[in-house]
Amino acid sequence: MLKKIALGFILFLSLFLVVVAFLPSNYHVERSISIEASPSEIYPYIQDFKAWETWSPWAEADPNQTVTVSGEPGKPGHVQAWDGPVNGKGSMTIDSASPNAFVAMNLEFTDPQPMKATSKIELEAKGSQTTVIWHNEGELDYPVGRIFGLFLDSMIGQDFEKGLLKLKTLSEKK
C-alpha cells in the first residue's frame, strides 16, 4: 500500500513538472492611461525616484520601508533602493531615458525572492493628452517562477493601475 502511494506521488510530481515546463519562461505586464497633461508636465514625476513617493503604489503599500535615492534624476545610474516588511528588498536603476519621452529601468529584487526585471514608462503625446504606458518584463525560473508567472499580470497590473491613476491626478492638478 505504501509503495502504491509513493508511486502515485512520484507520478503526480513528474506529470506536474512536465506541465510546468510548458508554461511561459518569461512575462510581460503592461498598463496605460490617458492624462490631460503634456509629457513635460508628467516627466518630472517619472524621472526622479524621490517624486515616485507621491504616486507609487508601493510607497503606500509599505509606509515603513526604508528608501534611499542616489544619482542624478533622469540619468542612467539614478537609483532607488528599498527595504521593507511588505515590499521586501530591492532596487531600480535608470538604464536609459529621453526627456518627455521615456524612462527605462532595471529592477533587482533580492528579498524575499531574488528576481531581475526591466521596466519602462513611455509618454506619447496625443493632442492635449498624453498616453502613459508602463511595461514590466522578465524571466521566470523553473518551476516555481513559472507557476508564479500565471498570476503576475493581475498582481503587478493592479499596482500599475493604482499608480497610473495617482499619476493622472497629480499631473492634471497643474
Side-chain angles (χ1 to χ4, degrees), residues 19 22 29 40 76 88 107 122 139 157 164:
V19 170
F22 287 99
V29 176
S40 64
L107 292 109
E122 297 177 273
E139 293 184 14
L164 289 170

Side-chain angles (χ1 to χ4, degrees), residues 30-61:
E30 181 176 314
R31 296 294 189 274
S32 64
I33 195 167
S34 290
I35 298 177
E36 190 69 40
S38 68
S40 64
E41 293 172 298
I42 300 167
Y43 190 72
Y45 291 111
I46 66 169
Q47 60 97 35
D48 185 352
F49 290 138
K50 287 185 180 178
W52 277 57
E53 295 297 313
T54 61
W55 64 272
S56 167
W58 300 292
E60 183 180 314

Side-chain angles (χ1 to χ4, degrees), residues 64-166:
N64 295 320
Q65 70 183 347
T66 302
V67 176
T68 56
V69 176
S70 62
E72 187 177 344
K75 303 288 184 197
H78 183 51
V79 179
Q80 180 190 68
W82 63 88
D83 188 354
V86 176
N87 294 333
K89 187 174 185 175
S91 66
M92 63 180 167
T93 305
I94 292 181
D95 179 55
S96 61
S98 179
N100 305 323
F102 75 88
V103 175
M105 299 152 283
N106 292 315
L107 292 109
E108 184 171 2
F109 302 92
T110 55
D111 187 54
Q113 177 65 37
M115 184 175 172
K116 291 184 180 183
T118 59
S119 192
K120 186 174 187 180
I121 300 176
E122 297 177 273
L123 306 175
E124 295 178 359
K126 293 181 180 178
S128 64
Q129 295 190 342
T130 300
T131 300
V132 179
I133 307 158
W134 196 352
H135 313 261
N136 182 279
E137 58 191 27
E139 293 184 14
L140 301 167
D141 292 334
Y142 175 83
V144 176
R146 291 188 186 186
I147 296 166
F148 187 62
L150 296 172
F151 308 99
L152 278 177
D153 187 76
S154 61
M155 290 170 44
I156 296 172
Q158 188 176 57
D159 288 341
F160 281 11
E161 290 166 9
K162 281 183 190 176
L164 289 170
L165 281 172
K166 285 180 138 188

